Every structure is written in C-alpha cells, then in structure tokens.
Amino acid sequence: MRLSVIACVVVLALPLVAHGAALTDASAKWTAGDKSGAIAAWRGVVSTSKDPKELDNARSRLADALLATGDTAGAVAVWNELIQTSAQPTLLATAKMRVAYCATKQKVPVKDQIAAFMRVVNEHPTTAQARTCLLRVAYLKDKSEPKNAAAAFGEVSARYPGTREAAEADYRRGMVCERGRQNIDEAIRALEAAAENRQATSFVRQAAAVEAGYARIMKYMGSASKPDVQAAADYIKRIIPTVTDCELLARARLACAALDRDQPRERDPLHRRLRRELQVVLRPERVAHLRELLVRQAADRAERG
C-alpha cells in the first residue's frame, strides 16, 4: 500500500518537474540567443501546464519575449490572458502596466493610453506600478494638455509623497511652472521639494536644486531688490558643493557668476546674453552653449583685472 502511494505521488509530480525543466530550458535558450526556441518552449508550458504559478511565470516570460521581438499585439494578447487567469496581485499590476505601455507603442489615442495607465492606479493603488503609471499619465498630459500638466504632476506627489516618483513629479512640476515664467513661486516650492526628497535619484535631486536656483534668479530679475539678489546668490553658492554632475555644476556656476554684481549692467554685452539665457527654461542640450558663456565671462573678468 505504501509503495502504491509513493508511486502515485511520483507520477503526479512528474508533470511539474517536466514543466519546471521546460521553463529552465526556455530561459537557457533565450540567454543563448535562440529566441524562437525559447518562445516555442514557453508556449508549450502555457498549453500543457495545470499549475497556476507555473502558468503565470510562463505567460509573463512569453509576453516579455514577444514584445522584445517586436510582436506587440501578441504580447498584449498573452498579458490579457494572464490578467484573466492570475491570482497574484503584483503580477496582475505588472501585466496591466505592460498593456498600458504597449498602448503607447501602438499609437492609440492619448485618452485611451491615459485610461490604460489609470486602470492600474485605480485597481492597484498601493503598488509601485500604480506610482509609475500615475507619473506616466502626468507626462502624457504634459504633451496633450499642457495647461493641466502642473496639476497632473502635483497629483503624483500628493498621492505618493516621499517616493521616488513624487520627487520626479515635483521636479517636472517645477519645470512646467517655470516654463514661460507661469508661476515662479510655485516652481521654487516644487523644485525645492524634489531636491529635499531623500528617495529622489541623485540626478533629480541635483537638477531640482540647480533649477530652483535659476527660478530664484528669474524671480530676482522681476525686481531690483538687493535682499532678493542676495537670497538667490546665497542659495546657488550653498548648493554648488553638493552638485557632482558636471553639466549641472556648469549651470550652477554660471548662475552664481551672473549674480556677482549687485545690479545688472545692461551695457555689458555678455551680461545681456546671460540675462537672456536665464529668462528661459534651460534645457540640457544647451549646456555646451552655457559652458562657452561661462568661459567667456571668466576671460572677460580676467581682462578687467
């Protein structure tokens, strides 16, 4: 009797072992560059396995593989199958997020892209995927609804304060408010919040601090108040030692150099150029030009003794 039970257990376990080996074999084929063989192996597991977790694993890897090989429609179909069958919350959130990203690749209307990302936010609000998707919605609105962009980025930081996504959203909100000098005070608040967020990436934290300095300069340029000038100069000088990115450091030093004088000297051609640069939202692609200005200003000051 005992031998019969053992034999029965072994027989039942054989399909699980076989499918586990098939998953390992598929991964090995993918790593070795045999993409079609890997996809076929994952399809084989999906069509024969009865184990829910194994099916989830196979479908997830199959969908990722199809997307990587350019079959976006096929990937979406597999992820939708996973959404209908899986009971794993994290995997469900990931699958829905993947479907939303595929919508951007398939160039569906922006409102449908937003709806796909918001599905994740509404159905899985406490997950990391929800934070990522809400930030993506804000970027989409920045392009399709510029007037609502600041509010969209603000919603991310309001719903998920203290997160990496909140830091990036605050940085983008600051840039939006700074754009065209729409709301300099709000830009400063948002950028400083991003700079102080401990979960922010190093680049976002440094970029936000530098842009906050530029926003302060823009505010100063609207008035001739010496206290405003000094506050802007002190802020820039304070953040320079914390900046390690060379491009951001160049911009911070340029801002500091622009505030060396108490009052603007409009007769100075270089200073007029600096003013024009500082009155717009500065983009990374303009850093080379800003470096040139910085070098020219240093030479100009050296000539004056």
Side-chain angles (χ1 to χ4, degrees), residues 68 74 94 108 149 163 284:
T94 299
V108 303
T163 62

Side-chain angles (χ1 to χ4, degrees), residues 230-242 252 255-257 259-260:
Q230 191 60 50
D234 289 345
Y235 180 85
I236 290 289
K237 290 175 181 176
R238 189 168 65 250
I239 67 171
I240 282 179
T242 70
C256 192
L259 291 170
D260 275 351

Side-chain angles (χ1 to χ4, degrees), residues 1-53:
M1 180 65 179
R2 182 177 297 175
L3 290 175
S4 299
V5 171
I6 293 174
C8 183
V9 170
V10 170
V11 169
L12 290 173
L14 284 176
L16 297 179
V17 173
H19 290 136
L23 285 174
T24 302
D25 179 58
S27 297
K29 287 181 177 179
W30 183 266
T31 302
D34 183 7
K35 296 182 178 181
S36 59
I39 289 172
W42 280 315
R43 287 192 188 280
V45 176
V46 169
S47 63
T48 58
S49 177
K50 302 299 182 183
D51 180 74
K53 289 186 177 180

Side-chain angles (χ1 to χ4, degrees), residues 109-137:
V110 174
K111 65 176 183 179
D112 294 333
Q113 296 178 35
I114 290 175
F117 284 112
M118 286 305 299
R119 179 189 183 189
V120 182
V121 176
N122 294 330
E123 295 179 5
H124 308 276
T126 61
T127 63
Q129 291 86 343
R131 300 196 301 270
T132 299
C133 288
L134 191 59
L135 182 60
R136 183 63 181 177
V137 167

Side-chain angles (χ1 to χ4, degrees), residues 43 45 51 73 88 91 125 131 140 170 181 213 243 269 284 289 305:
R43 287 192 188 280
V45 176
D51 180 74
Q88 299 184 60
L91 192 57
R131 300 196 301 270
L140 288 171
D170 279 331
R181 304 186 69 172
V243 178
H289 177 55

Side-chain angles (χ1 to χ4, degrees), residues 34-217:
D34 183 7
K35 296 182 178 181
S36 59
I39 289 172
W42 280 315
R43 287 192 188 280
V45 176
V46 169
S47 63
T48 58
S49 177
K50 302 299 182 183
D51 180 74
K53 289 186 177 180
E54 199 168 64
L55 277 170
D56 286 350
N57 191 356
R59 283 195 174 105
S60 179
R61 296 191 179 196
L62 173 60
D64 284 340
L66 291 172
L67 183 63
T69 54
D71 186 0
T72 303
V76 170
V78 174
W79 274 315
N80 281 329
E81 288 178 7
L82 192 153
I83 290 168
Q84 295 298 320
T85 59
S86 178
Q88 299 184 60
T90 301
L91 192 57
L92 283 171
T94 299
K96 292 171 186 176
M97 182 174 70
R98 294 278 202 277
V99 169
Y101 273 110
C102 285
T104 65
K105 287 180 171 291
Q106 294 172 314
K107 298 182 179 180
V108 303
V110 174
K111 65 176 183 179
D112 294 333
Q113 296 178 35
I114 290 175
F117 284 112
M118 286 305 299
R119 179 189 183 189
V120 182
V121 176
N122 294 330
E123 295 179 5
H124 308 276
T126 61
T127 63
Q129 291 86 343
R131 300 196 301 270
T132 299
C133 288
L134 191 59
L135 182 60
R136 183 63 181 177
V137 167
Y139 276 108
L140 288 171
K141 288 186 177 180
D142 188 21
K143 291 184 178 180
S144 62
E145 308 170 31
K147 292 182 179 179
N148 299 322
F153 285 116
E155 184 180 356
V156 179
S157 53
R159 291 186 65 162
Y160 303 108
T163 62
R164 179 183 61 80
E165 292 80 8
E168 185 174 343
D170 279 331
Y171 171 65
R172 292 303 309 172
R173 179 163 61 95
M175 297 294 285
V176 168
C177 291
E178 193 180 37
R179 187 188 302 157
R181 304 186 69 172
Q182 294 178 32
N183 190 334
I184 296 300
D185 288 332
E186 183 62 23
I188 293 171
R189 284 192 291 270
L191 291 166
E192 289 182 351
E196 293 168 4
N197 188 327
R198 294 185 179 181
Q199 297 302 315
T201 63
S202 176
F203 180 81
V204 166
R205 189 164 53 248
Q206 293 181 34
V210 172
E211 292 298 342
Y214 274 102
R216 284 171 176 267
I217 296 173

